[in-house]
């Protein structure tokens, strides 16, 4: 079974500041990990994913995330926030084998202050 | 290359009516997933289908909800005798392999 915890349902940062969105997972099997972004009244867009190999993965819009097995974490970062980054962000996990479904965290709403 | 398409985008139903939500996967994708997003919550898995087969329906409510993915045509999520608690955004996703799922824009169901 898998589960995801996103620490902080709301995060607010200033434009140009570091963005850090936290995600911890639980999985009984090796995980695949994902970050999705959702803009108001839209579907989810894949930001980045970890499957195998390099633990630091880079995604679109300048985001990156690092898979840390020892900490069961997959935190999302961006060095400099932009106003257009304001959105809801979801971390998700699925098992390498078995069930295909994604298990999502509760989401983190990111607000960017000018 | 068109993305995942869902229609209608918005659907209003009175209590007791039926709701039919349609999803056309991306070209070449044979895996379809349905998720539900309640207000202020994350997405919850409902059902996973391949052509003509339900693979995993562990997230589907036991009553009133059904899904299909016929050999020809879109996948359909059907909700019979809707109640106010069914009001939510329903998202369809498709994939070609075990990695990425691509999401549609969703259908926002309002039950009055």
């Amino acid at each position: 079974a898998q589960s995801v915890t996103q620490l902080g349902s709301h995060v607010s940062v200033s434009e140009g500041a570091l963005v850090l969105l936290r995600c911890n997972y639980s999985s009984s099997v090796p995980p695949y990990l994902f970050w999705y972004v959702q803009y108001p009244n839209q579907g989810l867009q894949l930001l980045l994913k970890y499957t195998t190999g390099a633990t630091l993965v880079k995604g679109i819009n300048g985001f990156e995330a690092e898979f840390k097995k020892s900490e069961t974490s997959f935190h999302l970062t961006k060095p400099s926030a932009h106003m257009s980054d304001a959105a809801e962000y979801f971390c998700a996990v699925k098992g390498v084998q078995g069930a295909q479904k994604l298990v999502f965290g509760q989401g983190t709403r990111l607000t960017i202050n000018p | 290359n068109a993305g995942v398409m869902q229609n209608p985008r918005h659907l209003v139903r009175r209590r007791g009516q039926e709701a039919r939500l349609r999803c056309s996967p991306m070209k070449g994708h044979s895996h379809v997933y349905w998720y539900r997003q309640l207000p202020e919550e994350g997405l919850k898995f409902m059902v996973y289908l391949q052509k003509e087969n339900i693979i995993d329906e562990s997230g589907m409510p036991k009553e009133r909800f059904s899904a299909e993915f016929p050999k020809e045509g879109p996948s359909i999520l059907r909700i019979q005798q809707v109640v106010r608690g069914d009001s939510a955004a329903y998202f369809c996703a498709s994939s070609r392999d075990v990695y990425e799922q691509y999401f549609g824009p969703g259908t926002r169901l309002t039950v009055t």
Side-chain angles (χ1 to χ4, degrees):
Chain A
Q2 290 93 30
S3 67
V4 175
T5 300
Q6 291 184 239
L7 297 174
S9 57
H10 291 85
V11 170
S12 181
V13 302
S14 298
E15 190 175 17
L18 171 72
V19 175
L20 170 60
L21 304 183
R22 299 178 188 274
C23 171
N24 288 88
Y25 70 91
S26 172
S27 179
S28 56
V29 297
Y32 290 158
L33 294 157
F34 307 82
W35 275 100
Y36 284 87
V37 60
Q38 184 182 32
Y39 297 99
N41 297 316
Q42 294 187 27
L44 276 70
Q45 181 182 7
L46 181 66
L47 274 178
L48 48 79
K49 67 180 185 290
Y50 169 79
T51 54
T52 58
T55 56
L56 180 64
V57 293
K58 296 184 184 300
I60 61 172
N61 302 338
F63 285 93
E64 62 182 36
E66 186 170 11
F67 170 57
K68 292 188 176 180
K69 185 178 179 180
S70 61
E71 298 177 8
T72 61
S73 69
F74 191 56
H75 301 330
L76 181 71
T77 61
K78 181 174 180 177
S80 177
H82 192 273
M83 295 299 290
S84 61
D85 295 327
E88 187 97 22
Y89 291 80
F90 293 96
C91 181
V93 64
K94 71 178 291 291
V96 171
Q97 295 176 350
Q100 293 274 348
K101 64 184 179 185
L102 288 170
V103 176
F104 284 88
Q106 291 293 94
T108 297
R109 181 157 296 171
L110 177 63
T111 302
I112 311 298
N113 302 314
Chain B
N1 188 11
V4 177
M5 299 176 67
Q6 290 187 250
N7 66 81
R9 293 291 306 276
H10 300 274
L11 182 62
V12 179
R13 286 287 179 265
R14 291 197 179 98
R15 280 177 295 171
Q17 291 185 320
E18 178 180 287
R20 281 188 180 231
L21 288 62
R22 295 174 186 78
C23 169
S24 297
M26 289 179 68
K27 186 176 181 181
H29 289 193
S30 60
H31 306 259
V32 166
Y33 316 80
W34 286 92
Y35 294 85
R36 178 165 64 175
Q37 184 179 33
L38 295 170
E40 305 301 320
E41 293 189 16
L43 279 75
K44 303 292 186 186
F45 168 78
M46 300 180 75
V47 63
Y48 161 42
L49 311 101
Q50 294 182 17
K51 284 288 187 181
E52 299 185 279
N53 287 300
I54 296 174
I55 308 302
D56 180 359
E57 58 181 346
S58 58
M60 286 281 269
K62 298 298 181 202
E63 298 177 349
R64 301 187 298 109
F65 285 72
S66 63
E68 62 178 9
F69 188 18
K71 186 176 181 180
E72 301 291 337
S75 175
I76 306 287
L77 178 68
R78 182 183 179 202
I79 311 172
Q80 294 179 293
Q81 299 176 323
V82 296
V83 301
R84 288 228 171 102
D86 297 331
S87 294
Y90 292 82
F91 289 96
C92 169
S94 73
S95 70
R96 183 175 54 198
D97 54 34
V98 300
Y99 299 125
E100 299 177 27
Q101 293 182 19
Y102 294 84
F103 282 78
T107 294
R108 281 154 182 82
L109 173 66
T110 302
V111 179
T112 62

